[in-house]
Amino acid sequence: LRQYSEAVRAYQRALAIRPTSVMANVGAAKTLLALGRPEAAVSFARTAAKLEPEDMAIRVGLADSLEASGQYGLAVKELEIAIELGEMTEDILFRMVNGYIKTRRWQEAANTAEALVKIAPSAPAYERLGRAFYYLGDADASLESYQTAIELDPDHWPSLNGLGVNALKSWLRSDRTDLEMASIARSALQQSLRTNPDQPKV
């Protein structure tokens, strides 16, 4: 019913009766996240993980709470544990790539994104791969990743931005003589703005 405050109070009453209830700790954590109180959610999510340390879903829930509270490094650690406990799924890999990007662990981001595009190729996955290669200084691999993303979804504006920035840098490195790269950059950034006009930086 989305009555989150009432739900939290109900979970607290349940935990007063049985502090070791995994369901009540998990429920409290999820509800506090929905209330926009991630720091409070972390405590309950941690308790649930201590009670069921080999439950993949609980580890992912703890990672969600940690990420929402800005503890990106700890969130990645929980995801790494989760992936050891269960199947390497698209969702887990995507979360891990995002975590590595937020913690600026570019090589791990690239490695994980490469695994992701093998099992679930998509524009967002290739965009993450392109971003990781960009910060690793591999311009060619970055450009190729963004181009693949756009082939999968011509209107994926983050990938269009990535392609535009890569092409723009190539044009600048050529002392502004590479007109093909200038054209690619202009076209990509214009298409990005047509798709999502609310981008002041672009």
Side-chain angles (χ1 to χ4, degrees), residues 140 143 147 163-190:
D140 291 340
L143 191 68
Q147 287 172 328
L163 176 61
V165 168
N166 269 285
L168 190 60
K169 286 193 75 172
S170 293
W171 174 65
L172 291 170
R173 281 197 300 269
S174 73
D175 291 327
R176 309 189 181 201
T177 60
D178 191 335
L179 299 182
E180 181 185 1
M181 282 294 143
S183 176
I184 291 172
R186 185 183 308 112
S187 176
L189 295 172
Q190 285 175 339

Side-chain angles (χ1 to χ4, degrees), residues 55-87:
D55 188 302
M56 182 180 183
I58 288 174
R59 290 287 183 179
V60 172
L62 175 53
D64 287 343
S65 298
L66 289 165
E67 181 180 355
S69 66
Q71 301 179 64
Y72 303 123
L74 292 175
V76 168
K77 286 182 181 179
E78 291 301 326
L79 289 172
E80 289 171 341
I81 293 170
I83 211 164
E84 290 174 2
L85 294 171
E87 185 182 355

Side-chain angles (χ1 to χ4, degrees), residues 98-172:
N98 287 338
Y100 287 135
I101 287 173
K102 286 177 179 176
T103 52
R104 299 181 178 275
R105 294 165 62 180
W106 303 115
Q107 189 60 61
E108 290 99 326
N111 294 344
T112 308
E114 285 182 316
L116 175 61
V117 298
K118 284 179 183 177
I119 68 168
S122 67
Y126 273 102
E127 186 270 332
R128 300 301 195 280
L129 182 58
R131 194 186 312 183
F133 280 137
Y134 178 86
Y135 284 103
L136 286 171
D138 192 337
D140 291 340
S142 179
L143 191 68
E144 183 180 348
S145 298
Y146 284 125
Q147 287 172 328
T148 303
I150 294 163
E151 287 171 9
L152 293 170
D153 181 357
D155 292 326
H156 190 248
W157 59 267
S159 297
L160 288 163
N161 288 344
L163 176 61
V165 168
N166 269 285
L168 190 60
K169 286 193 75 172
S170 293
W171 174 65
L172 291 170

Side-chain angles (χ1 to χ4, degrees), residues 10-25 47 51:
Y11 283 125
Q12 288 172 331
R13 290 194 293 273
L15 289 166
I17 296 166
R18 187 182 301 166
T20 57
S21 169
V22 175
M23 288 181 65
N25 277 289
T47 300
L51 292 167

